[in-house]
Amino acid sequence: MKLIPVRRGYWGSKIGAVHTIPIKVKGKCGSCVVRMIPAPRGTGKVAALVSKKILTFAGVDDVYTTCTGQTRTRENFARAVFACLRKSYSYLTPDLWPKTEFIPSPFIKYQKFLSEESKMRGPREGDRGRGRGRGRGDRGRGGDRGRGGDRGRGGDRGGERGRGGGFRSRGDGPPRTD
């Protein structure tokens, strides 16, 4: 017989002793899938007879269960309930998180020193102000860049608007001479 730790918890407020499972868990063995859901105090074990016996041994007082698959194979059904209970300890919930001491960022830690240092230095030599890359004058971000002048976005690329490709497909108009 295997012994496993079964984690128990509360439903709602943490008053009194632990009485249910802490989270929803799902266990599977063969085609049998068992899902356990925490229940309020006083609900009891809403489960099949086999799983009620196992939950009693585990010390769980209140729980909802759902079973799918071939539950008449009792061994697989019992193993699925056992797998469910085993998973109850595999989840790390916030009450089990280790207490961590947060260290401040170096920027926050040395904030006074950095602000005094920047005031004492002043502007750097050869500082050209803010900008991107080479000096491009007042063209802005995109600029002209020699791509067709004032075409704008998309631009007119020849042909007629809405005719697709610039040739006449229906023959409505004078023939083109190329």
Side-chain angles (χ1 to χ4, degrees):
M1 177 97 194
K2 291 184 182 178
L3 292 177
I4 57 164
V6 176
R7 186 142 155 251
R8 294 178 301 154
Y10 299 94
W11 185 91
S13 61
K14 295 182 179 181
I15 298 172
V18 289
H19 61 96
T20 185
I21 56 174
I23 49 170
K24 296 177 186 177
V25 285
K26 192 183 278 189
K28 182 175 191 260
C29 182
S31 70
C32 187
V33 178
V34 175
R35 183 175 185 220
M36 291 186 190
I37 303 166
R41 190 178 301 276
T43 305
K45 298 171 202 72
V46 182
L49 191 63
V50 175
S51 54
K52 271 187 186 176
K53 288 181 181 178
I54 296 171
L55 290 168
T56 305
F57 292 139
V60 178
D61 298 328
D62 306 302
V63 68
Y64 296 121
T65 63
T66 59
C67 313
T68 57
Q70 187 72 25
T71 57
R72 280 196 295 181
T73 53
R74 288 202 175 165
E75 184 180 356
N76 284 352
F77 184 42
R79 285 178 186 252
V81 172
F82 196 76
C84 241
L85 292 172
R86 178 181 289 147
K87 279 188 178 180
S88 71
Y89 240 98
S90 66
Y91 289 100
L92 184 65
T93 54
D95 59 330
L96 294 178
W97 291 350
K99 301 293 180 211
T100 56
E101 190 176 314
F102 295 106
I103 58 171
S105 164
F107 293 113
I108 294 172
K109 191 173 180 180
Y110 301 108
Q111 163 182 342
K112 289 181 182 175
F113 173 74
L114 291 171
S115 63
E116 290 172 8
E117 187 72 23
S118 65
K119 287 178 186 175
M120 288 176 31
R121 273 191 179 176
R124 296 187 202 160
E125 289 181 30
D127 194 9
R128 290 180 270 174
R130 301 186 112 184
R132 294 171 41 127
R134 298 173 285 162
R136 292 194 171 128
D138 5 338
R139 285 186 290 176
R141 273 190 75 167
D144 185 11
R145 294 192 186 170
R147 292 189 181 169
D150 58 344
R151 274 192 326 185
R153 290 202 143 174
D156 185 22
R157 296 200 171 102
E160 292 183 28
R161 191 172 284 259
R163 299 282 182 184
F167 62 90
R168 297 173 196 260
S169 59
R170 285 186 268 154
D172 56 344
R176 289 178 69 176
T177 56
D178 288 333

